[in-house]
Structure formats: structure tokens, C-alpha cells
Amino acid sequence: MEKKNENKLEEPRSNIVLESRKKLTLTGVEEVISFDDEKILLNTKLGFLTIKGSELKMNKLDVQNGDVIIVGNTASIVYSSKEVKKEKESIISKLFK
């Protein structure tokens, strides 16, 4: 039996563990973009991650290892692509081009 080539590039990894919608444990976090008690925006190895809820607090932040623990009432967790999208133009600005 031959061993598979172990020189493959490692795929980016990021894990999410949500316990009873009260405690969120994340790995693979590269940067905290913004946060308040209702919305947290993170840059992870798999793209941007938006967490919405109420009474959100970061209990642990270890950017060197990419670990974050968030407590509070989690309402939604949404990934978006790594590309930063342009803000949508208003209807008025489109009309006057």
C-alpha cells in the first residue's frame, strides 16, 4: 500500500459549535472586524461571518490561534464570500448617471 502524498496544501479550516443558542465557540478566526451587543462581524479562513443576536459578548479572543468564544442570545450565523462587495448604489444615484 502506498501512502498518499502528504504534501498537499491544507484546506482552510474553521469550526463552529453552538451550545443551546447561548455559547458560540469558533476556530479559524483571522480578524474581528466589528462588534457590539447585537452584531459581530468576523473574518475567518472560510470567509466573513456575521453573528446576530442580543446581549452578545466575547468571552475569549485569541487571534493568534484563531479562537473566539461568544456568549449571548444567538439569532443567526451567516457566512459571506471573502470578496468585499461594493455597497449597493441608491436608486437616485443610478437615475442621475
mmCIF file of all heavy atoms in Angstrom, residues 26-32 42-43 45 58-70:
data_model
loop_
_atom_site.group_PDB
_atom_site.id
_atom_site.type_symbol
_atom_site.label_atom_id
_atom_site.label_comp_id
_atom_site.label_asym_id
_atom_site.label_seq_id
_atom_site.Cartn_x
_atom_site.Cartn_y
_atom_site.Cartn_z
ATOM 1 N N LEU A 26 -15.796 29.369 18.233
ATOM 2 C CA LEU A 26 -15.331 29.445 16.847
ATOM 3 C C LEU A 26 -13.830 29.209 16.777
ATOM 4 O O LEU A 26 -13.081 29.641 17.655
ATOM 5 C CB LEU A 26 -15.606 30.838 16.267
ATOM 6 C CG LEU A 26 -17.039 31.331 16.319
ATOM 7 C CD1 LEU A 26 -17.079 32.827 16.128
ATOM 8 C CD2 LEU A 26 -17.836 30.650 15.252
ATOM 9 N N THR A 27 -13.386 28.537 15.710
ATOM 10 C CA THR A 27 -11.962 28.439 15.400
ATOM 11 C C THR A 27 -11.761 28.922 13.971
ATOM 12 O O THR A 27 -12.709 28.991 13.194
ATOM 13 C CB THR A 27 -11.442 26.996 15.537
ATOM 14 O OG1 THR A 27 -12.123 26.166 14.592
ATOM 15 C CG2 THR A 27 -11.649 26.454 16.933
ATOM 16 N N GLY A 28 -10.540 29.252 13.633
ATOM 17 C CA GLY A 28 -10.239 29.714 12.282
ATOM 18 C C GLY A 28 -10.531 31.189 12.075
ATOM 19 O O GLY A 28 -10.635 31.646 10.943
ATOM 20 N N VAL A 29 -10.638 31.943 13.161
ATOM 21 C CA VAL A 29 -10.902 33.382 13.063
ATOM 22 C C VAL A 29 -9.587 34.104 12.801
ATOM 23 O O VAL A 29 -8.593 33.889 13.494
ATOM 24 C CB VAL A 29 -11.558 33.912 14.356
ATOM 25 C CG1 VAL A 29 -11.738 35.420 14.294
ATOM 26 C CG2 VAL A 29 -12.889 33.227 14.591
ATOM 27 N N GLU A 30 -9.580 34.963 11.785
ATOM 28 C CA GLU A 30 -8.383 35.727 11.451
ATOM 29 C C GLU A 30 -8.431 37.150 11.996
ATOM 30 O O GLU A 30 -7.403 37.719 12.336
ATOM 31 C CB GLU A 30 -8.198 35.764 9.933
ATOM 32 C CG GLU A 30 -7.919 34.390 9.352
ATOM 33 C CD GLU A 30 -7.771 34.399 7.851
ATOM 34 O OE1 GLU A 30 -8.255 35.342 7.185
ATOM 35 O OE2 GLU A 30 -7.160 33.447 7.333
ATOM 36 N N GLU A 31 -9.640 37.722 12.077
ATOM 37 C CA GLU A 31 -9.755 39.119 12.481
ATOM 38 C C GLU A 31 -11.177 39.415 12.945
ATOM 39 O O GLU A 31 -12.138 38.895 12.396
ATOM 40 C CB GLU A 31 -9.417 40.004 11.271
ATOM 41 C CG GLU A 31 -9.536 41.468 11.480
ATOM 42 C CD GLU A 31 -9.258 42.261 10.199
ATOM 43 O OE1 GLU A 31 -9.273 41.682 9.094
ATOM 44 O OE2 GLU A 31 -9.057 43.467 10.333
ATOM 45 N N VAL A 32 -11.285 40.262 13.964
ATOM 46 C CA VAL A 32 -12.585 40.770 14.382
ATOM 47 C C VAL A 32 -12.761 42.120 13.686
ATOM 48 O O VAL A 32 -12.000 43.052 13.915
ATOM 49 C CB VAL A 32 -12.669 40.942 15.912
ATOM 50 C CG1 VAL A 32 -14.006 41.554 16.315
ATOM 51 C CG2 VAL A 32 -12.458 39.609 16.608
ATOM 52 N N LEU A 42 -16.847 38.907 11.766
ATOM 53 C CA LEU A 42 -15.521 38.301 11.850
ATOM 54 C C LEU A 42 -15.019 37.926 10.466
ATOM 55 O O LEU A 42 -15.809 37.567 9.592
ATOM 56 C CB LEU A 42 -15.576 37.025 12.699
ATOM 57 C CG LEU A 42 -16.147 37.136 14.098
ATOM 58 C CD1 LEU A 42 -16.405 35.749 14.669
ATOM 59 C CD2 LEU A 42 -15.212 37.902 14.990
ATOM 60 N N ASN A 43 -13.719 37.976 10.280
ATOM 61 C CA ASN A 43 -13.090 37.452 9.071
ATOM 62 C C ASN A 43 -12.493 36.108 9.453
ATOM 63 O O ASN A 43 -11.632 36.030 10.322
ATOM 64 C CB ASN A 43 -12.014 38.417 8.568
ATOM 65 C CG ASN A 43 -11.413 37.973 7.258
ATOM 66 O OD1 ASN A 43 -11.912 37.070 6.606
ATOM 67 N ND2 ASN A 43 -10.330 38.607 6.863
ATOM 68 N N LYS A 45 -11.146 31.991 8.070
ATOM 69 C CA LYS A 45 -10.425 31.355 6.966
ATOM 70 C C LYS A 45 -11.350 30.951 5.827
ATOM 71 O O LYS A 45 -10.905 30.716 4.719
ATOM 72 C CB LYS A 45 -9.660 30.131 7.474
ATOM 73 C CG LYS A 45 -8.531 30.511 8.397
ATOM 74 C CD LYS A 45 -7.779 29.307 8.881
ATOM 75 C CE LYS A 45 -6.634 29.754 9.774
ATOM 76 N NZ LYS A 45 -5.800 28.653 10.206
ATOM 77 N N MET A 58 -17.954 38.879 23.871
ATOM 78 C CA MET A 58 -16.833 37.992 23.577
ATOM 79 C C MET A 58 -16.172 37.619 24.891
ATOM 80 O O MET A 58 -15.612 38.474 25.570
ATOM 81 C CB MET A 58 -15.830 38.677 22.655
ATOM 82 C CG MET A 58 -16.242 38.618 21.229
ATOM 83 S SD MET A 58 -14.875 38.956 20.151
ATOM 84 C CE MET A 58 -15.565 40.319 19.270
ATOM 85 N N ASN A 59 -16.259 36.341 25.263
ATOM 86 C CA ASN A 59 -15.629 35.874 26.498
ATOM 87 C C ASN A 59 -14.154 35.565 26.291
ATOM 88 O O ASN A 59 -13.362 35.755 27.185
ATOM 89 C CB ASN A 59 -16.327 34.613 27.020
ATOM 90 C CG ASN A 59 -17.410 34.944 28.009
ATOM 91 O OD1 ASN A 59 -17.754 36.104 28.203
ATOM 92 N ND2 ASN A 59 -17.966 33.927 28.627
ATOM 93 N N LYS A 60 -13.821 35.058 25.112
ATOM 94 C CA LYS A 60 -12.426 34.710 24.819
ATOM 95 C C LYS A 60 -12.113 35.173 23.419
ATOM 96 O O LYS A 60 -12.888 34.971 22.497
ATOM 97 C CB LYS A 60 -12.227 33.190 24.913
ATOM 98 C CG LYS A 60 -10.831 32.739 24.534
ATOM 99 C CD LYS A 60 -10.716 31.229 24.531
ATOM 100 C CE LYS A 60 -9.355 30.796 24.041
ATOM 101 N NZ LYS A 60 -9.244 29.356 23.895
ATOM 102 N N LEU A 61 -10.960 35.805 23.283
ATOM 103 C CA LEU A 61 -10.495 36.226 21.964
ATOM 104 C C LEU A 61 -9.012 35.922 21.882
ATOM 105 O O LEU A 61 -8.204 36.553 22.557
ATOM 106 C CB LEU A 61 -10.755 37.718 21.754
ATOM 107 C CG LEU A 61 -10.174 38.341 20.492
ATOM 108 C CD1 LEU A 61 -10.740 37.662 19.259
ATOM 109 C CD2 LEU A 61 -10.478 39.827 20.459
ATOM 110 N N ASP A 62 -8.659 34.915 21.098
ATOM 111 C CA ASP A 62 -7.264 34.527 20.896
ATOM 112 C C ASP A 62 -6.994 34.567 19.395
ATOM 113 O O ASP A 62 -7.120 33.559 18.711
ATOM 114 C CB ASP A 62 -7.023 33.134 21.470
ATOM 115 C CG ASP A 62 -5.565 32.709 21.390
ATOM 116 O OD1 ASP A 62 -4.754 33.447 20.788
ATOM 117 O OD2 ASP A 62 -5.240 31.634 21.924
ATOM 118 N N VAL A 63 -6.661 35.752 18.898
ATOM 119 C CA VAL A 63 -6.472 35.937 17.452
ATOM 120 C C VAL A 63 -5.248 35.173 16.961
ATOM 121 O O VAL A 63 -5.216 34.712 15.830
ATOM 122 C CB VAL A 63 -6.382 37.439 17.107
ATOM 123 C CG1 VAL A 63 -6.148 37.646 15.629
ATOM 124 C CG2 VAL A 63 -7.656 38.150 17.534
ATOM 125 N N GLN A 64 -4.259 35.008 17.820
ATOM 126 C CA GLN A 64 -3.052 34.286 17.417
ATOM 127 C C GLN A 64 -3.391 32.842 17.022
ATOM 128 O O GLN A 64 -2.882 32.321 16.037
ATOM 129 C CB GLN A 64 -2.040 34.296 18.552
ATOM 130 C CG GLN A 64 -0.666 33.832 18.141
ATOM 131 C CD GLN A 64 0.347 34.094 19.237
ATOM 132 O OE1 GLN A 64 0.018 34.120 20.416
ATOM 133 N NE2 GLN A 64 1.590 34.276 18.846
ATOM 134 N N ASN A 65 -4.274 32.194 17.773
ATOM 135 C CA ASN A 65 -4.694 30.820 17.455
ATOM 136 C C ASN A 65 -5.995 30.780 16.670
ATOM 137 O O ASN A 65 -6.395 29.724 16.198
ATOM 138 C CB ASN A 65 -4.841 29.997 18.733
ATOM 139 C CG ASN A 65 -3.510 29.738 19.399
ATOM 140 O OD1 ASN A 65 -2.501 29.520 18.732
ATOM 141 N ND2 ASN A 65 -3.492 29.793 20.714
ATOM 142 N N GLY A 66 -6.696 31.909 16.580
ATOM 143 C CA GLY A 66 -7.942 31.963 15.829
ATOM 144 C C GLY A 66 -9.152 31.461 16.588
ATOM 145 O O GLY A 66 -10.126 31.029 15.988
ATOM 146 N N ASP A 67 -9.100 31.519 17.930
ATOM 147 C CA ASP A 67 -10.199 31.020 18.756
ATOM 148 C C ASP A 67 -11.001 32.172 19.343
ATOM 149 O O ASP A 67 -10.432 33.139 19.859
ATOM 150 C CB ASP A 67 -9.671 30.156 19.903
ATOM 151 C CG ASP A 67 -8.894 28.951 19.418
ATOM 152 O OD1 ASP A 67 -9.201 28.465 18.311
ATOM 153 O OD2 ASP A 67 -7.994 28.495 20.139
ATOM 154 N N VAL A 68 -12.330 32.042 19.287
ATOM 155 C CA VAL A 68 -13.223 33.049 19.850
ATOM 156 C C VAL A 68 -14.382 32.331 20.531
ATOM 157 O O VAL A 68 -14.912 31.366 19.996
ATOM 158 C CB VAL A 68 -13.771 33.997 18.752
ATOM 159 C CG1 VAL A 68 -14.799 34.959 19.313
ATOM 160 C CG2 VAL A 68 -12.649 34.762 18.083
ATOM 161 N N ILE A 69 -14.758 32.821 21.715
ATOM 162 C CA ILE A 69 -15.956 32.325 22.395
ATOM 163 C C ILE A 69 -16.880 33.512 22.597
ATOM 164 O O ILE A 69 -16.477 34.549 23.127
ATOM 165 C CB ILE A 69 -15.633 31.659 23.744
ATOM 166 C CG1 ILE A 69 -14.796 30.403 23.521
ATOM 167 C CG2 ILE A 69 -16.928 31.315 24.489
ATOM 168 C CD1 ILE A 69 -14.357 29.714 24.791
ATOM 169 N N ILE A 70 -18.130 33.353 22.145
ATOM 170 C CA ILE A 70 -19.129 34.412 22.244
ATOM 171 C C ILE A 70 -20.301 33.863 23.049
ATOM 172 O O ILE A 70 -20.775 32.757 22.792
ATOM 173 C CB ILE A 70 -19.606 34.843 20.848
ATOM 174 C CG1 ILE A 70 -18.433 35.417 20.049
ATOM 175 C CG2 ILE A 70 -20.756 35.845 20.943
ATOM 176 C CD1 ILE A 70 -18.699 35.603 18.583
#
